[in-house]
Amino acid sequence: MVKKIAIIGAGPSGLLLAHYLLRRGDKYQVDIYERRSDPRTVSFSKSRTYPISLNERGMSALRKIEGLEEAIKAISVEMTGTMFHQKNGKTRLTPRKKPLTTLDRTKLAIALLESLTQKYNNSRLNIHFNCQCTSVDLAPKKVKLQNLETEEDFTIDYDLLIGADGSRSLVRESFLTTEDFECEQNYVPNDYKSIFLPRPDENSGIHLEQGKIHSWMLKDGTFVVLLHQRDESMGGVILFLHNKNQIANLSTTEEVLQFFQKNFPEVAGLMPKEEAEAFLNRPVSRILTVRCSRYHQGDSVLLIGDAAHAVSSSIGQGCNAAFEDVVLFDNLLNEYSDNLAVALEQFTIRRKCDAHALVELGDNAFPSSAGLFIEFVLRESIAKIMHKIFSKRFAPSISELIFDTTVPYSEILDSYKGWISKVKKSNESLISEN
Ligand SMILES: Cc1cc2nc3c(=O)[nH]c(=O)nc-3n(C[C@H](O)[C@H](O)[C@H](O)COP(=O)(O)OP(=O)(O)OC[C@H]3O[C@@H](n4cnc5c(N)ncnc54)[C@H](O)[C@@H]3O)c2cc1C
């Protein structure tokens, strides 16, 4: 019998999972419900997007679906290193062994969506935009939704419900009514705002090499990350401590420009007045981390991606990990011949350790204090040299393990326990000072 799958959320994880489920043949009928409008039809909203980098963890998941890797690469830029810009104008390059594939989150979602709708017609796939999930009734397997355009409420039933609805997941919230479900949610200390700039032209006197992630950091931990985009623009974010941040006090376009001029002159040099104004009006976004005790409920609900294990953006792994979830679930469906009850339970068993480790790494692999950051850079350089010479005795550096390998997150955490606890202490004292 054909199983009815309801996916809540048309973000990267929900869309990639739809690809994988539909590829399994006509045993699954998929409906995706997304509260936002169809990103292909609305004008590009800069307030809700930011660049994402994908490494082998995410790219290998895309590669398994015909045409997806090519489609994503066609709209991405490869980054071969990070350029740290210092206050004195000097730069330091940390090269990358393997390039990162970087693109805008919304453009990634559009590419996944376009490929889905090209491959499957509405006899197997229906995507309902402007439809917000408002509650989940687990026992009768029903979901209440609201069409945000017509304000009409409606109810659907499902055989399998996928919570791919991000870090503030409503599907996850419904688990709170069940026995033995625990979930810890924390805001990361850094909030962020997106930044969109034109590429520097030859006359600007600003040189930001293509194919590098550009980064600037202030003593108080505020930092900017800027990347060249495929479309001749640059996109990035400024991250800053939630409390006492300098950004919240900016109230005019002039103040925005002065702030960047004083602290990030290269960014100011590229920022037109319109972007300063847009920046001022753009909301500050908070990032939530999520650690929960299981990702499934009975034989009929699964949490994936940020809904299951949202993580700090500083580690650049949320989407990569979300794509790993999709591959794991597909493998489990293979292993257990599409027996959902077993595959769902096994998903929790096999994923929990790595998902918890990922959140810990996200919080504490990279220091927020400028002082410890110098130690981090030194440690990275030494680890890289030692690993190159004595590869059997010395592990790759922590960032190589995270970005250049598919080593499970729990193993990385295990190899770098000492460093993680040092960073944790430093991060905690930095937060209490602020
Ligand atoms: C600044 C920043 C930089 C990042 N950089 C990277 C990076 O470099 N590499 C990386 O791997 N990851 C990165 N991430 C993390 C990455 O963006 C997320 O991990 C990824 O988007 C998770 O995908 P998802 O589909 O699980 O959730 P989301 O992207 O959050 O998508 C969830 C979807 O569900 C919809 N939704 C939510 N609630 C409802 C509801 N009630 N009803 C219907 N629809 C609903 C939302 O509108 C959304 O479209 C970054 C995150 C941030 C904030």
Side-chain angles (χ1 to χ4, degrees), residues 59 67-77 101 103 230-231:
M59 291 308 288
L68 266 192
E69 186 184 25
E70 296 76 7
I72 301 299
K73 282 199 161 168
I75 53 169
S76 304
V77 179
T101 303
L103 77 167
R230 190 69 178 222
D231 63 358

Side-chain angles (χ1 to χ4, degrees), residues 9 11-13 34-35 50 53 105 133 165 306 313 316-320:
S13 61
E34 166 59 50
R35 69 176 171 200
Y50 42 81
S53 41
R105 181 208 168 274
C133 166
D165 49 344
D306 277 10
S313 64
Q317 291 300 302
C319 195
N320 285 293

Side-chain angles (χ1 to χ4, degrees), residues 8-15 33-36 50-55 105 131-134 145 163-171 192 194 237 239 285-287 304-307 309-323 403:
I8 309 298
S13 61
L15 292 169
Y33 298 89
E34 166 59 50
R35 69 176 171 200
R36 291 186 197 162
Y50 42 81
I52 279 190
S53 41
L54 296 173
N55 53 31
R105 181 208 168 274
C131 285
Q132 176 161 356
C133 166
T134 51
L145 295 123
D165 49 344
S167 60
R168 290 163 181 81
S169 167
L170 204 121
V171 177
Y192 76 92
S194 304
V237 286
L239 292 114
S285 299
R286 301 208 69 187
I287 301 168
I304 58 162
D306 277 10
H309 45 66
V311 57
S312 163
S313 64
S314 66
I315 194 171
Q317 291 300 302
C319 195
N320 285 293
F323 287 177
F403 294 109

Side-chain angles (χ1 to χ4, degrees), residues 37-52:
S37 307
D38 184 341
R40 295 167 298 179
T41 59
V42 294
S43 70
F44 184 67
S45 163
K46 290 181 168 177
S47 61
R48 290 178 185 275
T49 198
Y50 42 81
I52 279 190

